[in-house]
Amino acid sequence: MDRFGRRIVALRIPILIAALVLLVPSVIGYAKTRVNYDILSYLPGDIETMAGQDILTEEFGTGAFSMFVTEGMTPKEITELKNEIEQVEHVKKVIWYDTAMDISVPMEMLPDELYEAFNHGDSTLMAIIFDDTTSSDATMKAIEEIRRVADRNCFLSGMSAVVTDTKNLSEKEAPVYVCIAVLLSCLVLSLTMDSYLIPFLFLLSIGMAILYNLGTNVFLGQISYITKALSAVLQLGVTMDYSIFLWHSYQEQQQTGTGKKDAMAKAIAATITSVVGSSITTVAGFLALCFMSFTLGLDLGIVMAKGVVFGVIACITILPSMILVFDRALEKTRHRAVLPEPKGIGAFITKHYRVFAVFFVAALIPAVFGYTHTKVYYNLDETLPKTLPSIVANDKLNAEFDMNATHMLLVDGDVSPKDVRHMTEELEKVDGVKWVLGLNALKGTALPGEMVPAELTETLEDENWQLLLIGSAYKVASDEVNAQCDTLSAVSKKYDPGAMLVGEAPCTRDLIRITDHDFSTVSIVSIGVIFLIILLVFKSLTLPVVLVAVIELAIFINMGIPYYTDTAIPFIASIVIGTIQLGATVDYAILMTTRYKSERLGGADKAQAVSVACQTSVKSIMVSALSFFAATFGVGLYSNIDMISSLCTLMARGALISMASVIFILPSMLMVFDALIRRTTWGMKTNKAEKEQEASQA
């Protein structure tokens, strides 16, 4: 490692030049990486709802569907607007009254239930079908164009409109996230570091690593907007302590009288040994997300694991080069660290370890209870700002037409018109169903078969499938709509075993079922992998249990707080936060335990070993946790996208709770289980003092 360190020192200028040159392809790759704003698209492709979406795209040339509400417009004006909307690129068809009849024919000729479904006072409802998928760039572009041609008394609802607004809001806020994280990180570093310049070198080095990570995402094809929004902030938070370790190691080497270049070479070697081992647990935590069948976890897991690796590489190559190049400026900007050394904390905690051990037991029960009873929400549009056009439109649709969701039912084309009519009658009787629109709902009831226009037939039927549109009064992700979807599927499968119910509500129902399973899978994998890593690092059967238990308590407290504050959290938070918090903060526990083991092997008794381990580790743990907190807390306060806000708030709070848990609870656990730890840890059965005593007796 010393040889590697010396090579880095010798090549510091070429390394900086190469680092700057690599920013060019990274920025290009970042710009070319597509961002996916549709969370439901990460459902497994083999489930019925997603297979149905593929059929819609392949057979009907559509995958997106929106309801459009107009107010205070005459039939003639609506017809003109409808024709204008149909001219918008990627709009396949607009279904309204004049699709089936000439507007000279009074609407009152329609059956009462059909007339009332699409008319309320001076409001009229039409359906817009797009020729691409819900979250495609083409569909989102069409949404923007429709809004441009429509006036303020028109409201475009549906998932595609929500996705479009989410994209616009996310793109507006994402740069602010980075600025907030950088500013707050600078504040923390200025309080904890002894140079005014070094925080900027840290952030510059990490910023390059972030750009490399974001640029290489182009090879993944696309990333989710959640990954895009969180990756920079999260990478900054979890890799900052690597830079801090290098700086402290460099300063320690200088104090031995070694020259700056030699000191840096040795600091790089020490950092590789420490940081690589530390980063493995963080990478393992992120990679555990890849085991989710809901592939948003795979997306976030790969990007963040890759980000940690880039962070380590930048820490041992770019940052040392910067420090040596700017050595004079660093010397001129030195100052005393504002954050004082917490003197005596190790002795205090060791002396009162029984109190903290009792607190561990006492806190565990309410923490686990809150953790298992925290409310989780799946309807993502409900927590977006109420002023967004799509949310206003959804509220208007609900208020005027008592509609909250639209399902699409695919039925085999060979099912007879008679059976389809009988099926339609049954579907209309299901609780919460407002209307069912299909060719056979029009033929013979609303219209004679010969009067149905060919363009409407092509929209709702092809040689293989028939398409029915179903309006629902129930909200997406509610228990009522999930039960409704189950009933609709059961009814349709009586007439066609291969019938498929698709749309936002059926997809969300599947999302709920799949993520419930993912939650258990990810938790087991992350705990198991990190347990194994700790076992190999310490060669102990007991220490992995102690360390994981301490961090899991912090996770239970963090995730249990929303229950006691009556706050619902996004479903993805319940899956990923525990894994991220475990992987990112178990390093705090490893740092303290490493020193404890070293002191114990060196001859110290358990109280002295724990006290020294706590005292020497506490400042590093605080700096690391505060850096993580700073990178995420401000984003949690600022973001108007609750998915982002909740995740960042939980990560920020989790860093502080893990810090407190390691500083106060871990020492008490080491005191309580010291004898068991020594018996179950290789090389700790007898310490140095005991070996010397045995030698003297011999």
Side-chain angles (χ1 to χ4, degrees):
M1 292 302 177
D2 283 346
R3 186 176 179 183
F4 177 81
R6 294 185 187 282
R7 293 291 295 171
I8 296 296
V9 170
L11 297 172
R12 59 191 179 278
I13 301 300
I15 286 173
L16 287 181
I17 294 172
L20 292 172
V21 170
L22 286 173
L23 291 177
V24 176
S26 297
V27 171
I28 295 172
Y30 172 71
K32 289 184 175 293
T33 301
R34 185 181 182 276
V35 180
N36 186 354
Y37 294 87
D38 183 7
I39 296 299
L40 296 177
S41 66
Y42 289 96
L43 286 167
D46 57 351
I47 62 175
E48 183 177 288
T49 47
M50 299 307 288
Q53 295 277 21
D54 292 340
I55 290 172
L56 278 174
T57 303
E58 295 167 6
E59 299 279 343
F60 289 90
T62 182
F65 177 90
S66 289
M67 302 304 293
F68 187 75
V69 181
T70 66
E71 279 187 345
M73 298 178 70
T74 65
K76 183 179 179 181
E77 290 172 332
I78 296 174
T79 298
E80 291 174 354
L81 177 60
K82 170 181 174 286
N83 292 336
E84 194 172 356
I85 291 174
E86 285 185 321
Q87 298 306 309
V88 172
E89 189 177 6
H90 300 296
V91 171
K92 180 179 176 65
K93 185 66 184 172
V94 181
I95 300 176
W96 185 58
Y97 176 74
D98 74 343
T99 306
M101 290 185 178
D102 190 271
I103 60 171
S104 62
V105 180
M107 288 189 188
E108 288 73 17
M109 287 188 62
L110 288 171
D112 290 343
E113 65 273 12
L114 205 56
Y115 176 83
E116 292 172 1
F118 291 91
N119 295 276
H120 182 272
D122 65 346
S123 298
T124 302
L125 190 64
M126 65 176 73
I128 301 177
I129 299 175
F130 301 92
D131 66 6
D132 212 330
T133 55
T134 299
S135 60
S136 70
D137 294 335
T139 301
M140 287 191 282
K141 184 179 178 181
I143 293 286
E144 297 282 18
E145 182 64 16
I146 292 170
R147 287 173 174 170
R148 189 187 67 78
V149 303
D151 67 20
R152 62 184 179 181
N153 293 323
C154 298
F155 307 90
L156 185 62
S157 68
M159 190 63 185
S160 293
V162 171
V163 169
T164 302
D165 286 340
T166 302
K167 173 188 175 182
N168 294 337
L169 185 59
S170 179
E171 289 183 345
K172 176 184 175 183
E173 290 189 351
V176 183
Y177 299 160
V178 178
C179 291
I180 291 173
V182 167
L183 288 173
L184 292 180
S185 295
C186 272
L187 177 61
V188 169
L189 292 172
S190 66
L191 294 174
T192 56
M193 296 289 102
D194 56 359
S195 168
Y196 292 116
L197 179 60
I198 195 63
F200 296 98
L201 297 187
F202 286 175
L203 292 170
L204 189 57
S205 170
I206 295 171
M208 288 182 173
I210 289 172
L211 277 174
Y212 301 150
N213 186 32
L214 295 176
T216 53
N217 288 338
V218 71
F219 298 110
L220 301 177
Q222 67 176 19
I223 59 172
S224 75
Y225 79 93
I226 293 175
T227 301
K228 179 186 176 182
L230 291 180
S231 57
V233 171
L234 200 49
Q235 187 175 338
L236 175 63
V238 300
T239 62
M240 178 64 75
D241 51 339
Y242 305 159
S243 301
I244 294 170
F245 185 90
L246 176 80
W247 176 247
H248 286 163
S249 180
Y250 174 56
Q251 289 178 308
E252 289 175 9
Q253 293 297 333
Q254 282 185 291
Q255 290 173 3
T256 63
T258 307
K260 293 183 183 296
K261 293 180 181 179
D262 287 340
M264 181 57 76
K266 292 179 180 178
I268 292 171
T271 301
I272 292 173
T273 303
S274 176
V275 166
V276 169
S278 173
S279 64
I280 289 174
T281 56
T282 308
V283 170
F286 286 124
L287 290 180
L289 298 176
C290 299
F291 287 84
M292 293 171 59
S293 51
F294 180 60
T295 55
L296 178 64
L298 177 68
D299 185 85
L300 180 61
I302 289 177
V303 172
M304 285 314 308
K306 182 160 57 74
V308 173
V309 173
F310 277 117
V312 172
I313 294 172
C315 175
I316 60 176
T317 57
I318 299 173
L319 182 58
S321 302
M322 285 183 177
I323 291 173
L324 291 175
V325 169
F326 293 98
D327 178 68
R328 290 185 180 179
L330 287 168
E331 291 297 331
K332 291 179 180 179
T333 58
R334 284 192 179 272
H335 65 88
R336 291 184 62 184
V338 177
L339 187 67
E341 189 75 33
K343 296 180 180 178
I345 190 171
F348 174 82
I349 293 172
T350 304
K351 182 179 179 181
H352 299 90
Y353 78 91
R354 291 185 179 86
V355 174
F356 295 111
V358 170
F359 175 82
F360 175 88
V361 176
L364 190 60
I365 296 174
V368 172
F369 184 84
Y371 173 76
T372 54
H373 288 80
T374 291
K375 297 177 184 176
V376 176
Y377 70 81
Y378 292 84
N379 192 2
L380 305 180
D381 63 339
E382 278 195 355
T383 57
L384 291 170
K386 296 298 182 183
T387 55
L388 290 180
S390 58
I391 307 304
V392 172
N394 286 346
D395 291 342
K396 177 68 67 174
L397 188 64
N398 180 30
E400 297 288 340
F401 296 94
D402 191 27
M403 268 186 60
N404 282 286
T406 305
H407 317 312
M408 289 173 277
L409 179 63
L410 285 165
V411 181
D412 194 295
D414 293 333
V415 178
S416 68
K418 180 181 177 181
D419 283 344
V420 173
R421 280 196 293 272
H422 288 159
M423 180 181 67
T424 300
E425 291 170 1
E426 280 196 59
L427 295 174
E428 289 174 335
K429 294 176 183 178
V430 174
D431 289 344
V433 170
K434 302 295 294 181
W435 45 263
V436 179
L437 178 62
L439 281 181
N440 290 290
L442 295 172
K443 290 179 180 178
T445 55
L447 291 171
E450 62 272 11
M451 289 185 63
V452 177
E455 59 178 345
L456 185 59
T457 301
E458 292 171 3
T459 302
L460 298 176
E461 189 175 83
D462 75 352
E463 60 181 8
N464 298 315
W465 296 92
Q466 304 175 55
L467 177 63
L468 284 79
L469 306 179
I470 304 172
S472 172
Y474 296 146
K475 288 188 175 183
V476 172
S478 64
D479 292 338
E480 292 83 3
V481 83
N482 292 338
Q484 181 189 75
C485 289
D486 289 339
T487 304
L488 292 173
S489 292
V491 169
S492 62
K493 288 182 185 299
K494 287 197 306 182
Y495 296 90
D496 173 20
M500 299 180 184
L501 187 70
V502 299
E504 183 184 1
C507 284
T508 304
R509 173 198 58 180
D510 290 341
L511 175 68
I512 294 170
R513 295 170 179 173
I514 287 169
T515 52
D516 280 347
H517 174 264
D518 281 345
F519 176 77
S520 301
T521 301
V522 170
S523 296
I524 292 170
V525 171
S526 61
I527 290 173
V529 171
I530 290 175
F531 183 96
L532 182 61
I533 291 170
I534 297 173
L535 185 149
L536 295 174
V537 169
F538 290 109
K539 299 180 179 63
S540 172
L541 296 176
T542 310
L543 285 174
V545 177
V546 173
L547 270 60
V548 170
V550 168
I551 300 299
E552 283 297 315
L553 172 66
I555 293 170
F556 292 155
I557 293 173
N558 186 29
M559 298 295 289
I561 287 174
Y563 169 76
Y564 295 104
T565 59
D566 195 27
T567 303
I569 62 174
F571 72 95
I572 194 68
S574 65
I575 303 172
V576 306
I577 288 298
T579 300
I580 292 174
Q581 187 174 340
L582 176 61
T585 65
V586 75
D587 293 347
Y588 309 164
I590 291 174
L591 176 66
M592 184 180 292
T593 305
T594 300
R595 186 58 184 266
Y596 154 77
K597 182 179 178 182
S598 175
E599 292 293 323
R600 206 72 176 94
L601 289 172
D605 61 31
K606 70 175 183 179
Q608 183 182 3
V610 172
S611 177
V612 171
C614 181
Q615 186 65 54
T616 56
S617 304
V618 66
K619 187 171 181 179
S620 296
I621 292 170
M622 289 177 64
V623 172
S624 181
L626 289 173
S627 298
F628 196 175
F629 173 82
T632 51
F633 176 70
V635 177
L637 287 180
Y638 172 80
S639 180
N640 286 304
I641 302 174
D642 192 66
M643 179 78 77
I644 306 298
S645 177
S646 294
L647 285 168
C648 286
T649 299
L650 286 164
M651 285 189 285
R653 187 171 65 208
L656 296 185
I657 296 173
S658 288
M659 175 189 76
S661 185
V662 170
I663 292 175
F664 295 102
I665 303 298
L666 180 57
S668 67
M669 295 295 101
L670 295 176
M671 289 288 291
V672 170
F673 295 106
D674 176 77
L676 180 60
I677 290 169
R678 291 177 62 206
R679 284 196 297 270
T680 57
T681 302
W682 186 83
M684 280 192 71
K685 291 184 179 180
T686 56
N687 62 26
K688 183 178 178 181
E690 291 168 337
K691 288 179 180 177
E692 291 176 352
Q693 184 178 2
E694 290 174 0
S696 63
Q697 290 175 350

